[in-house]
Amino acid sequence: MNNQLFKNVDDYIMKLFATEDSSLIAAQKDATDANMPEISITPVQGKLLHTLALTCNAKKILEIGTLGGYSTIWLARALPEDGHLITIELDPHHAEIARANIKRAGLEPKVTIRVGSALEVLPEIKSEKLGPFDMIFIDADKPSYPEYLKYSLQLSRPGTLIIADNVIREGDVLDENSSDERVVGARRFNSMLAVNPALTSIILQTVGAKEHDGMSLAVVNR
Ligand code: SAH
Ligand code: DHB
Ligand code: MG
């Protein structure tokens, strides 16, 4: 694949539509300086999520996997004045960096970080009746994606948009015999989307600043 061309085109799209302001630049810098893994979404993907959140009039957003809050900022910026985003993060250090990044972006009043394993926090969110969410972004540990989809459906309403990152993994999902738990999780997740009659779904391949991957989009049928 012509990776340099994909990067150049991603850069072109970024400069036209997704230039980062000082809060987003600082959020990335602080995450890197804190030695966090460089696995956040790209600016162009951030603008895609932001645009989709506006499209579905999202007032309540749920994110699974915060890291340094980079995707959180793109999403929360699409919220109306009385909108809210809950983001779940396992690692307290990641959550601490994210909290500072979200605060600097002026989004503290609109964002709640729930620290803990998503498989423990999701049932809490359910029992606290914090749903249904208008949009859900799944981006935490890949082996648990099938479980995250089950909870997402329980926290949805007709019209909810459920998005998941990293569902193609440089094409590794083509290997039906893969022993990589992340690939197994993504493959299982993708087929759950495909066969669920309550969902209308598709996957977009993503190329550009990061490695070849994909994002799934699924809407809960009305
Ligand atoms: N959405 C972020 C990137 C998330 S990276 C962005 O694009 O900016 C994945 C995050 O999920 C990491 O911070 C990791 O610590 C967290 N994570 C991993 N396992 C988890 C779990 N079981 N529950 C909640 N978060 C988890
Ligand atoms: C990984 C996680 C991500 O969310 C991502 O976008 C890329 C890589 C990872 O855990 O390796
Ligand atoms: Mg990701």
Side-chain angles (χ1 to χ4, degrees), residues 36 66-68 89-102 113-116:
M36 287 163 72
T66 317
L67 194 67
E89 175 54 52
L90 174 65
D91 186 321
H93 182 234
H94 292 181
E96 185 190 319
I97 303 284
R99 195 163 283 121
N101 285 335
I102 288 159
I113 305 177
R114 300 275 298 237
V115 182

PDB file of all heavy atoms in Angstrom, residues 36 66-68 89-102 113-116:
ATOM      1  N   MET A  36       2.283   7.878  27.685  1.00  0.00           N
ATOM      2  CA  MET A  36       1.103   7.079  27.364  1.00  0.00           C
ATOM      3  C   MET A  36       1.235   6.532  25.946  1.00  0.00           C
ATOM      4  O   MET A  36       1.912   7.137  25.115  1.00  0.00           O
ATOM      5  CB  MET A  36      -0.154   7.956  27.497  1.00  0.00           C
ATOM      6  CG  MET A  36      -0.469   8.225  28.954  1.00  0.00           C
ATOM      7  SD  MET A  36      -1.577   9.584  29.171  1.00  0.00           S
ATOM      8  CE  MET A  36      -3.079   8.893  28.595  1.00  0.00           C
ATOM      9  N   THR A  66     -10.846   6.032  27.512  1.00  0.00           N
ATOM     10  CA  THR A  66     -10.592   7.474  27.486  1.00  0.00           C
ATOM     11  C   THR A  66      -9.180   7.817  27.026  1.00  0.00           C
ATOM     12  O   THR A  66      -8.971   8.794  26.318  1.00  0.00           O
ATOM     13  CB  THR A  66     -10.763   8.063  28.915  1.00  0.00           C
ATOM     14  OG1 THR A  66     -11.924   7.506  29.528  1.00  0.00           O
ATOM     15  CG2 THR A  66     -10.831   9.568  28.888  1.00  0.00           C
ATOM     16  N   LEU A  67      -8.198   7.035  27.478  1.00  0.00           N
ATOM     17  CA  LEU A  67      -6.765   7.346  27.321  1.00  0.00           C
ATOM     18  C   LEU A  67      -6.519   8.773  27.837  1.00  0.00           C
ATOM     19  O   LEU A  67      -6.875   9.066  28.975  1.00  0.00           O
ATOM     20  CB  LEU A  67      -6.329   7.149  25.859  1.00  0.00           C
ATOM     21  CG  LEU A  67      -4.819   7.111  25.591  1.00  0.00           C
ATOM     22  CD1 LEU A  67      -4.180   5.868  26.224  1.00  0.00           C
ATOM     23  CD2 LEU A  67      -4.521   7.110  24.104  1.00  0.00           C
ATOM     24  N   GLY A  68      -5.998   9.690  27.035  1.00  0.00           N
ATOM     25  CA  GLY A  68      -5.733  11.059  27.507  1.00  0.00           C
ATOM     26  C   GLY A  68      -6.859  12.031  27.210  1.00  0.00           C
ATOM     27  O   GLY A  68      -6.686  13.242  27.364  1.00  0.00           O
ATOM     28  N   GLU A  89     -12.542   4.718  31.924  1.00  0.00           N
ATOM     29  CA  GLU A  89     -11.105   4.448  31.784  1.00  0.00           C
ATOM     30  C   GLU A  89     -10.621   3.569  32.931  1.00  0.00           C
ATOM     31  O   GLU A  89     -10.828   3.883  34.089  1.00  0.00           O
ATOM     32  CB  GLU A  89     -10.319   5.754  31.729  1.00  0.00           C
ATOM     33  CG  GLU A  89      -8.808   5.602  31.707  1.00  0.00           C
ATOM     34  CD  GLU A  89      -8.295   4.680  30.605  1.00  0.00           C
ATOM     35  OE1 GLU A  89      -8.647   4.862  29.433  1.00  0.00           O
ATOM     36  OE2 GLU A  89      -7.528   3.744  30.934  1.00  0.00           O
ATOM     37  N   LEU A  90      -9.935   2.491  32.587  1.00  0.00           N
ATOM     38  CA  LEU A  90      -9.413   1.547  33.576  1.00  0.00           C
ATOM     39  C   LEU A  90      -8.211   2.096  34.343  1.00  0.00           C
ATOM     40  O   LEU A  90      -8.102   1.927  35.554  1.00  0.00           O
ATOM     41  CB  LEU A  90      -9.008   0.248  32.846  1.00  0.00           C
ATOM     42  CG  LEU A  90      -8.312  -0.836  33.661  1.00  0.00           C
ATOM     43  CD1 LEU A  90      -9.255  -1.394  34.723  1.00  0.00           C
ATOM     44  CD2 LEU A  90      -7.834  -1.959  32.748  1.00  0.00           C
ATOM     45  N   ASP A  91      -7.319   2.770  33.623  1.00  0.00           N
ATOM     46  CA  ASP A  91      -6.026   3.153  34.194  1.00  0.00           C
ATOM     47  C   ASP A  91      -6.134   4.525  34.892  1.00  0.00           C
ATOM     48  O   ASP A  91      -6.375   5.542  34.232  1.00  0.00           O
ATOM     49  CB  ASP A  91      -5.002   3.214  33.042  1.00  0.00           C
ATOM     50  CG  ASP A  91      -3.582   3.470  33.519  1.00  0.00           C
ATOM     51  OD1 ASP A  91      -3.402   4.269  34.464  1.00  0.00           O
ATOM     52  OD2 ASP A  91      -2.660   2.883  32.925  1.00  0.00           O
ATOM     53  N   PRO A  92      -5.928   4.576  36.225  1.00  0.00           N
ATOM     54  CA  PRO A  92      -6.085   5.846  36.951  1.00  0.00           C
ATOM     55  C   PRO A  92      -5.124   6.934  36.459  1.00  0.00           C
ATOM     56  O   PRO A  92      -5.468   8.113  36.487  1.00  0.00           O
ATOM     57  CB  PRO A  92      -5.768   5.478  38.405  1.00  0.00           C
ATOM     58  CG  PRO A  92      -5.831   4.003  38.479  1.00  0.00           C
ATOM     59  CD  PRO A  92      -5.550   3.468  37.108  1.00  0.00           C
ATOM     60  N   HIS A  93      -3.952   6.518  35.995  1.00  0.00           N
ATOM     61  CA  HIS A  93      -3.004   7.514  35.482  1.00  0.00           C
ATOM     62  C   HIS A  93      -3.512   8.131  34.179  1.00  0.00           C
ATOM     63  O   HIS A  93      -3.460   9.356  33.992  1.00  0.00           O
ATOM     64  CB  HIS A  93      -1.620   6.878  35.290  1.00  0.00           C
ATOM     65  CG  HIS A  93      -0.585   7.843  34.804  1.00  0.00           C
ATOM     66  ND1 HIS A  93       0.178   7.616  33.674  1.00  0.00           N
ATOM     67  CD2 HIS A  93      -0.213   9.060  35.263  1.00  0.00           C
ATOM     68  CE1 HIS A  93       0.990   8.643  33.481  1.00  0.00           C
ATOM     69  NE2 HIS A  93       0.773   9.537  34.425  1.00  0.00           N
ATOM     70  N   HIS A  94      -4.031   7.296  33.279  1.00  0.00           N
ATOM     71  CA  HIS A  94      -4.636   7.825  32.053  1.00  0.00           C
ATOM     72  C   HIS A  94      -5.769   8.790  32.414  1.00  0.00           C
ATOM     73  O   HIS A  94      -5.893   9.872  31.843  1.00  0.00           O
ATOM     74  CB  HIS A  94      -5.203   6.685  31.187  1.00  0.00           C
ATOM     75  CG  HIS A  94      -4.160   5.791  30.595  1.00  0.00           C
ATOM     76  ND1 HIS A  94      -4.466   4.729  29.774  1.00  0.00           N
ATOM     77  CD2 HIS A  94      -2.802   5.807  30.692  1.00  0.00           C
ATOM     78  CE1 HIS A  94      -3.358   4.120  29.392  1.00  0.00           C
ATOM     79  NE2 HIS A  94      -2.330   4.751  29.936  1.00  0.00           N
ATOM     80  N   ALA A  95      -6.581   8.387  33.383  1.00  0.00           N
ATOM     81  CA  ALA A  95      -7.744   9.203  33.770  1.00  0.00           C
ATOM     82  C   ALA A  95      -7.308  10.558  34.320  1.00  0.00           C
ATOM     83  O   ALA A  95      -7.940  11.585  34.041  1.00  0.00           O
ATOM     84  CB  ALA A  95      -8.587   8.447  34.794  1.00  0.00           C
ATOM     85  N   GLU A  96      -6.208  10.538  35.046  1.00  0.00           N
ATOM     86  CA  GLU A  96      -5.700  11.785  35.640  1.00  0.00           C
ATOM     87  C   GLU A  96      -5.235  12.766  34.545  1.00  0.00           C
ATOM     88  O   GLU A  96      -5.557  13.958  34.583  1.00  0.00           O
ATOM     89  CB  GLU A  96      -4.526  11.416  36.563  1.00  0.00           C
ATOM     90  CG  GLU A  96      -3.933  12.543  37.357  1.00  0.00           C
ATOM     91  CD  GLU A  96      -2.631  12.093  38.035  1.00  0.00           C
ATOM     92  OE1 GLU A  96      -2.579  10.952  38.556  1.00  0.00           O
ATOM     93  OE2 GLU A  96      -1.679  12.877  38.003  1.00  0.00           O
ATOM     94  N   ILE A  97      -4.496  12.236  33.567  1.00  0.00           N
ATOM     95  CA  ILE A  97      -4.052  13.081  32.443  1.00  0.00           C
ATOM     96  C   ILE A  97      -5.273  13.580  31.659  1.00  0.00           C
ATOM     97  O   ILE A  97      -5.363  14.761  31.285  1.00  0.00           O
ATOM     98  CB  ILE A  97      -3.122  12.280  31.490  1.00  0.00           C
ATOM     99  CG1 ILE A  97      -1.909  11.714  32.247  1.00  0.00           C
ATOM    100  CG2 ILE A  97      -2.700  13.122  30.288  1.00  0.00           C
ATOM    101  CD1 ILE A  97      -0.845  12.694  32.591  1.00  0.00           C
ATOM    102  N   ALA A  98      -6.210  12.669  31.435  1.00  0.00           N
ATOM    103  CA  ALA A  98      -7.420  13.042  30.681  1.00  0.00           C
ATOM    104  C   ALA A  98      -8.189  14.144  31.398  1.00  0.00           C
ATOM    105  O   ALA A  98      -8.668  15.094  30.760  1.00  0.00           O
ATOM    106  CB  ALA A  98      -8.309  11.814  30.484  1.00  0.00           C
ATOM    107  N   ARG A  99      -8.277  14.031  32.725  1.00  0.00           N
ATOM    108  CA  ARG A  99      -9.027  15.026  33.498  1.00  0.00           C
ATOM    109  C   ARG A  99      -8.433  16.423  33.292  1.00  0.00           C
ATOM    110  O   ARG A  99      -9.157  17.389  33.062  1.00  0.00           O
ATOM    111  CB  ARG A  99      -9.014  14.629  34.984  1.00  0.00           C
ATOM    112  CG  ARG A  99     -10.028  15.368  35.823  1.00  0.00           C
ATOM    113  CD  ARG A  99     -10.275  14.674  37.163  1.00  0.00           C
ATOM    114  NE  ARG A  99     -11.130  13.498  37.035  1.00  0.00           N
ATOM    115  CZ  ARG A  99     -10.798  12.263  37.378  1.00  0.00           C
ATOM    116  NH1 ARG A  99      -9.597  12.016  37.878  1.00  0.00           N
ATOM    117  NH2 ARG A  99     -11.648  11.284  37.220  1.00  0.00           N
ATOM    118  N   ALA A 100      -7.109  16.503  33.323  1.00  0.00           N
ATOM    119  CA  ALA A 100      -6.438  17.798  33.127  1.00  0.00           C
ATOM    120  C   ALA A 100      -6.655  18.308  31.695  1.00  0.00           C
ATOM    121  O   ALA A 100      -6.899  19.498  31.477  1.00  0.00           O
ATOM    122  CB  ALA A 100      -4.950  17.655  33.428  1.00  0.00           C
ATOM    123  N   ASN A 101      -6.581  17.402  30.715  1.00  0.00           N
ATOM    124  CA  ASN A 101      -6.771  17.798  29.318  1.00  0.00           C
ATOM    125  C   ASN A 101      -8.187  18.306  29.061  1.00  0.00           C
ATOM    126  O   ASN A 101      -8.397  19.279  28.329  1.00  0.00           O
ATOM    127  CB  ASN A 101      -6.456  16.617  28.389  1.00  0.00           C
ATOM    128  CG  ASN A 101      -4.959  16.366  28.273  1.00  0.00           C
ATOM    129  OD1 ASN A 101      -4.152  17.283  28.479  1.00  0.00           O
ATOM    130  ND2 ASN A 101      -4.588  15.132  27.953  1.00  0.00           N
ATOM    131  N   ILE A 102      -9.149  17.625  29.669  1.00  0.00           N
ATOM    132  CA  ILE A 102     -10.567  17.996  29.494  1.00  0.00           C
ATOM    133  C   ILE A 102     -10.842  19.339  30.171  1.00  0.00           C
ATOM    134  O   ILE A 102     -11.556  20.187  29.645  1.00  0.00           O
ATOM    135  CB  ILE A 102     -11.455  16.859  30.042  1.00  0.00           C
ATOM    136  CG1 ILE A 102     -11.384  15.653  29.088  1.00  0.00           C
ATOM    137  CG2 ILE A 102     -12.894  17.316  30.253  1.00  0.00           C
ATOM    138  CD1 ILE A 102     -11.775  14.332  29.704  1.00  0.00           C
ATOM    139  N   ILE A 113     -15.540  11.385  34.027  1.00  0.00           N
ATOM    140  CA  ILE A 113     -14.673  10.224  33.812  1.00  0.00           C
ATOM    141  C   ILE A 113     -14.995   9.204  34.900  1.00  0.00           C
ATOM    142  O   ILE A 113     -14.951   9.532  36.093  1.00  0.00           O
ATOM    143  CB  ILE A 113     -13.179  10.598  33.883  1.00  0.00           C
ATOM    144  CG1 ILE A 113     -12.863  11.728  32.887  1.00  0.00           C
ATOM    145  CG2 ILE A 113     -12.303   9.375  33.609  1.00  0.00           C
ATOM    146  CD1 ILE A 113     -11.416  12.210  32.941  1.00  0.00           C
ATOM    147  N   ARG A 114     -15.332   7.989  34.497  1.00  0.00           N
ATOM    148  CA  ARG A 114     -15.572   6.924  35.469  1.00  0.00           C
ATOM    149  C   ARG A 114     -14.362   5.992  35.420  1.00  0.00           C
ATOM    150  O   ARG A 114     -14.093   5.379  34.384  1.00  0.00           O
ATOM    151  CB  ARG A 114     -16.846   6.150  35.107  1.00  0.00           C
ATOM    152  CG  ARG A 114     -18.101   7.034  35.072  1.00  0.00           C
ATOM    153  CD  ARG A 114     -18.739   7.203  36.420  1.00  0.00           C
ATOM    154  NE  ARG A 114     -19.195   5.970  36.987  1.00  0.00           N
ATOM    155  CZ  ARG A 114     -20.459   5.741  37.374  1.00  0.00           C
ATOM    156  NH1 ARG A 114     -21.404   6.667  37.218  1.00  0.00           N
ATOM    157  NH2 ARG A 114     -20.793   4.600  37.926  1.00  0.00           N
ATOM    158  N   VAL A 115     -13.630   5.926  36.511  1.00  0.00           N
ATOM    159  CA  VAL A 115     -12.414   5.116  36.543  1.00  0.00           C
ATOM    160  C   VAL A 115     -12.755   3.704  36.986  1.00  0.00           C
ATOM    161  O   VAL A 115     -13.390   3.503  38.027  1.00  0.00           O
ATOM    162  CB  VAL A 115     -11.359   5.731  37.486  1.00  0.00           C
ATOM    163  CG1 VAL A 115     -10.080   4.906  37.476  1.00  0.00           C
ATOM    164  CG2 VAL A 115     -11.046   7.168  37.076  1.00  0.00           C
ATOM    165  N   GLY A 116     -12.362   2.731  36.185  1.00  0.00           N
ATOM    166  CA  GLY A 116     -12.604   1.333  36.524  1.00  0.00           C
ATOM    167  C   GLY A 116     -12.680   0.500  35.262  1.00  0.00           C
ATOM    168  O   GLY A 116     -12.614   1.034  34.147  1.00  0.00           O
TER     169      GLY A 116
END
